[in-house]
Amino acid sequence: MAPQPPARERLLDAAEDLAATQGVTTTPVDVILDRAQVSPATLYAHFGNKEGLITEALRRRLARWDTTWQECVDEAGTPEEKLLALFSALSRHRRSLTPSRWCVFLGVAAETPRPGQDLADTLAADTDLLTHRLEGLATALVEDGQARMLARQIILIYTGVLGMILRGAEVETATAEGRRIAALAVRSCTGPSESHLP
Protein backbone atom coordinates (compact mmCIF):
# COMPACT_ATOMS: atom_id res chain seq x y z
CA MET A 1 0.00 0.00 0.00
CA ALA A 2 1.39 3.40 -1.01
CA PRO A 3 2.23 5.75 1.86
CA GLN A 4 -0.19 8.62 2.47
CA PRO A 5 0.96 12.03 1.17
CA PRO A 6 2.18 14.52 3.79
CA ALA A 7 -0.48 16.46 5.69
CA ARG A 8 0.32 19.68 3.83
CA GLU A 9 -0.29 18.05 0.44
CA ARG A 10 -3.49 16.40 1.68
CA LEU A 11 -4.78 19.78 2.79
CA LEU A 12 -3.92 21.37 -0.57
CA ASP A 13 -5.56 18.49 -2.45
CA ALA A 14 -8.70 18.69 -0.32
CA ALA A 15 -8.96 22.47 -0.60
CA GLU A 16 -8.45 22.41 -4.37
CA ASP A 17 -10.90 19.57 -4.94
CA LEU A 18 -13.62 21.14 -2.80
CA ALA A 19 -13.08 24.66 -4.17
CA ALA A 20 -13.34 23.26 -7.69
CA THR A 21 -16.50 21.24 -7.12
CA GLN A 22 -18.34 22.79 -4.16
CA GLY A 23 -17.11 26.36 -3.89
CA VAL A 24 -15.09 28.10 -1.19
CA THR A 25 -17.74 29.77 0.94
CA THR A 26 -20.02 26.72 0.97
CA THR A 27 -17.20 24.44 2.14
CA PRO A 28 -16.60 24.70 5.91
CA VAL A 29 -13.12 24.19 7.31
CA ASP A 30 -14.35 21.04 9.05
CA VAL A 31 -15.15 19.46 5.69
CA ILE A 32 -11.66 20.23 4.37
CA LEU A 33 -10.09 18.84 7.54
CA ASP A 34 -12.18 15.69 7.31
CA ARG A 35 -11.25 15.16 3.65
CA ALA A 36 -7.55 15.69 4.41
CA GLN A 37 -7.69 13.72 7.68
CA VAL A 38 -5.81 16.34 9.64
CA SER A 39 -6.44 18.41 12.76
CA PRO A 40 -7.24 22.15 12.86
CA ALA A 41 -3.83 22.75 14.39
CA THR A 42 -2.14 21.24 11.33
CA LEU A 43 -4.02 23.55 8.98
CA TYR A 44 -3.18 26.64 11.02
CA ALA A 45 0.46 25.59 11.40
CA HIS A 46 0.93 25.28 7.64
CA PHE A 47 -1.34 28.00 6.26
CA GLY A 48 -2.51 30.27 9.08
CA ASN A 49 -6.20 30.06 8.19
CA LYS A 50 -8.65 28.86 5.55
CA GLU A 51 -7.89 31.74 3.18
CA GLY A 52 -4.18 31.00 3.44
CA LEU A 53 -4.88 27.40 2.48
CA ILE A 54 -7.07 28.41 -0.47
CA THR A 55 -4.43 30.89 -1.63
CA GLU A 56 -1.69 28.27 -1.65
CA ALA A 57 -3.94 25.73 -3.39
CA LEU A 58 -4.64 28.31 -6.12
CA ARG A 59 -0.93 29.08 -6.50
CA ARG A 60 -0.21 25.40 -7.00
CA ARG A 61 -3.06 25.07 -9.52
CA LEU A 62 -1.86 28.17 -11.38
CA ALA A 63 1.65 26.71 -11.66
CA ARG A 64 0.21 23.52 -13.13
CA TRP A 65 -1.96 25.48 -15.56
CA ASP A 66 1.04 27.56 -16.61
CA THR A 67 3.03 24.39 -17.34
CA THR A 68 0.21 22.72 -19.30
CA TRP A 69 -0.49 25.83 -21.37
CA GLN A 70 3.20 26.37 -22.17
CA GLU A 71 3.50 22.73 -23.25
CA CYS A 72 0.60 23.20 -25.68
CA VAL A 73 2.17 26.39 -27.03
CA ASP A 74 5.48 24.59 -27.53
CA GLU A 75 3.76 21.76 -29.39
CA ALA A 76 1.97 24.12 -31.79
CA GLY A 77 3.56 24.62 -35.18
CA THR A 78 2.57 28.10 -36.35
CA PRO A 79 2.10 31.48 -34.63
CA GLU A 80 -1.67 31.16 -35.12
CA GLU A 81 -1.74 27.70 -33.58
CA LYS A 82 0.40 28.88 -30.66
CA LEU A 83 -2.06 31.68 -29.95
CA LEU A 84 -5.02 29.30 -30.11
CA ALA A 85 -3.25 26.64 -28.02
CA LEU A 86 -5.06 28.22 -25.06
CA PHE A 87 -8.12 26.13 -25.90
CA SER A 88 -6.36 22.79 -26.21
CA ALA A 89 -4.52 23.64 -22.99
CA LEU A 90 -7.83 24.21 -21.21
CA SER A 91 -9.08 20.82 -22.33
CA ARG A 92 -5.85 19.07 -21.30
CA HIS A 93 -5.69 20.92 -17.97
CA ARG A 94 -9.20 19.86 -17.04
CA ARG A 95 -8.37 16.22 -17.80
CA SER A 96 -5.25 16.30 -15.63
CA LEU A 97 -6.70 17.90 -12.48
CA THR A 98 -9.91 17.80 -10.51
CA PRO A 99 -12.54 19.02 -13.00
CA SER A 100 -14.03 22.29 -11.80
CA ARG A 101 -17.56 23.55 -12.44
CA TRP A 102 -15.97 26.27 -14.59
CA CYS A 103 -12.90 28.26 -13.49
CA VAL A 104 -11.64 27.91 -9.94
CA PHE A 105 -10.07 31.38 -10.03
CA LEU A 106 -13.24 33.07 -11.27
CA GLY A 107 -15.26 31.06 -8.78
CA VAL A 108 -13.10 32.09 -5.83
CA ALA A 109 -13.07 35.72 -7.02
CA ALA A 110 -16.87 35.71 -7.23
CA GLU A 111 -17.21 34.19 -3.78
CA THR A 112 -14.65 36.46 -2.11
CA PRO A 113 -15.58 40.14 -2.58
CA ARG A 114 -12.95 41.32 -0.07
CA PRO A 115 -9.98 38.96 -0.31
CA GLY A 116 -6.85 39.44 1.74
CA GLN A 117 -3.80 40.76 -0.09
CA ASP A 118 -2.19 37.37 -0.73
CA LEU A 119 -5.39 35.93 -2.18
CA ALA A 120 -6.03 39.07 -4.24
CA ASP A 121 -2.49 38.89 -5.64
CA THR A 122 -2.94 35.21 -6.54
CA LEU A 123 -6.23 35.87 -8.33
CA ALA A 124 -4.58 38.75 -10.19
CA ALA A 125 -1.67 36.48 -11.17
CA ASP A 126 -4.07 34.25 -13.10
CA THR A 127 -5.36 37.24 -15.08
CA ASP A 128 -1.83 38.56 -15.61
CA LEU A 129 -0.64 35.22 -17.00
CA LEU A 130 -3.59 35.04 -19.37
CA THR A 131 -3.17 38.62 -20.57
CA HIS A 132 0.61 38.76 -20.94
CA ARG A 133 1.05 35.39 -22.62
CA LEU A 134 -1.71 36.02 -25.13
CA GLU A 135 -0.38 39.50 -25.90
CA GLY A 136 3.11 38.08 -26.37
CA LEU A 137 1.86 35.36 -28.71
CA ALA A 138 -0.28 37.83 -30.64
CA THR A 139 2.71 40.07 -31.36
CA ALA A 140 4.02 37.35 -33.71
CA LEU A 141 0.94 38.02 -35.86
CA VAL A 142 0.04 41.71 -35.57
CA GLU A 143 1.31 45.10 -34.38
CA ASP A 144 1.54 45.79 -30.63
CA GLY A 145 -1.69 47.81 -30.43
CA GLN A 146 -3.59 45.17 -32.35
CA ALA A 147 -1.97 42.44 -30.25
CA ARG A 148 -3.52 43.88 -27.10
CA MET A 149 -6.91 44.08 -28.79
CA LEU A 150 -6.65 40.54 -30.14
CA ALA A 151 -5.59 39.22 -26.73
CA ARG A 152 -8.61 40.87 -25.11
CA GLN A 153 -10.91 39.34 -27.72
CA ILE A 154 -9.50 35.88 -27.09
CA ILE A 155 -9.81 36.33 -23.32
CA LEU A 156 -13.47 37.23 -23.83
CA ILE A 157 -14.00 34.10 -25.93
CA TYR A 158 -12.10 31.96 -23.41
CA THR A 159 -14.22 33.32 -20.55
CA GLY A 160 -17.32 32.52 -22.59
CA VAL A 161 -16.11 28.94 -22.99
CA LEU A 162 -15.74 28.67 -19.22
CA GLY A 163 -19.24 30.06 -18.81
CA MET A 164 -20.64 27.49 -21.23
CA ILE A 165 -18.96 24.71 -19.24
CA LEU A 166 -20.70 26.08 -16.12
CA ARG A 167 -23.99 25.92 -18.06
CA GLY A 168 -23.40 22.23 -18.76
CA ALA A 169 -21.69 22.18 -22.14
CA GLU A 170 -19.26 19.33 -22.80
CA VAL A 171 -15.69 20.53 -22.34
CA GLU A 172 -14.44 19.23 -25.68
CA THR A 173 -17.36 20.78 -27.54
CA ALA A 174 -17.05 24.13 -25.78
CA THR A 175 -13.29 24.37 -26.29
CA ALA A 176 -13.57 23.39 -29.97
CA GLU A 177 -16.23 26.03 -30.57
CA GLY A 178 -14.18 28.61 -28.66
CA ARG A 179 -11.15 27.83 -30.79
CA ARG A 180 -13.15 28.26 -34.00
CA ILE A 181 -14.50 31.64 -32.88
CA ALA A 182 -11.01 32.74 -31.78
CA ALA A 183 -9.67 31.72 -35.20
CA LEU A 184 -12.18 34.14 -36.74
CA ALA A 185 -10.87 36.87 -34.45
CA VAL A 186 -7.35 36.11 -35.64
CA ARG A 187 -8.46 36.27 -39.27
CA SER A 188 -10.15 39.62 -38.67
CA CYS A 189 -6.77 41.03 -37.62
CA THR A 190 -4.43 39.23 -40.00
CA GLY A 191 -6.60 38.79 -43.09
CA PRO A 192 -7.68 35.43 -44.52
CA SER A 193 -4.59 35.09 -46.68
CA GLU A 194 -2.31 34.93 -43.64
CA SER A 195 -4.25 32.40 -41.61
CA HIS A 196 -3.76 28.69 -42.22
CA LEU A 197 -6.35 27.49 -39.74
CA PRO A 198 -9.41 25.52 -40.88
Side-chain angles (χ1 to χ4, degrees):
M1 185 175 179
Q4 201 174 36
R8 186 178 190 278
E9 292 304 307
R10 297 202 307 274
L11 278 166
L12 289 170
D13 289 342
E16 184 176 345
D17 290 352
L18 291 166
T21 57
Q22 306 298 321
V24 172
T25 58
T26 58
T27 304
V29 170
D30 288 350
V31 173
I32 297 173
L33 295 174
D34 184 62
R35 172 75 69 88
Q37 298 183 321
V38 300
S39 68
T42 302
L43 184 153
Y44 299 124
H46 284 288
F47 303 104
N49 54 31
K50 179 184 176 182
E51 184 167 299
L53 170 60
I54 296 298
T55 299
E56 194 58 37
L58 289 177
R59 285 174 179 158
R60 187 179 69 164
R61 193 175 182 99
L62 182 59
R64 291 171 174 174
W65 162 239
D66 184 9
T67 297
T68 299
W69 185 9
Q70 187 60 58
E71 286 172 353
C72 289
V73 170
D74 292 342
E75 291 166 9
T78 68
E80 295 96 332
E81 289 168 349
K82 289 180 182 296
L83 184 60
L84 299 180
L86 172 66
F87 298 96
S88 52
L90 174 60
S91 179
R92 184 182 297 182
H93 181 66
R94 290 180 64 86
R95 289 195 303 268
S96 67
L97 298 177
T98 299
S100 59
R101 293 180 64 223
W102 62 318
C103 171
V104 177
F105 288 85
L106 292 175
V108 172
E111 290 185 79
T112 317
R114 291 181 294 278
Q117 190 62 55
D118 285 348
L119 180 55
D121 290 345
T122 302
L123 294 171
D126 175 58
T127 301
D128 289 345
L129 174 62
L130 191 61
T131 302
H132 295 147
R133 180 166 292 163
L134 286 174
E135 286 181 0
L137 293 169
T139 57
L141 296 167
V142 293
E143 303 275 335
D144 284 351
Q146 271 194 309
R148 287 190 291 274
M149 180 186 72
L150 181 56
R152 287 195 299 269
Q153 290 174 348
I154 292 176
I155 291 170
L156 183 61
I157 296 163
Y158 171 75
T159 304
V161 168
L162 294 170
M164 290 305 295
I165 292 169
L166 180 62
R167 289 179 180 274
E170 291 293 329
V171 173
E172 298 302 326
T173 300
T175 54
E177 289 175 350
R179 183 185 174 98
R180 282 194 293 272
I181 296 167
L184 293 175
V186 172
R187 291 190 182 107
S188 74
C189 292
T190 63
S193 63
E194 296 181 40
S195 178
H196 305 290
L197 291 170

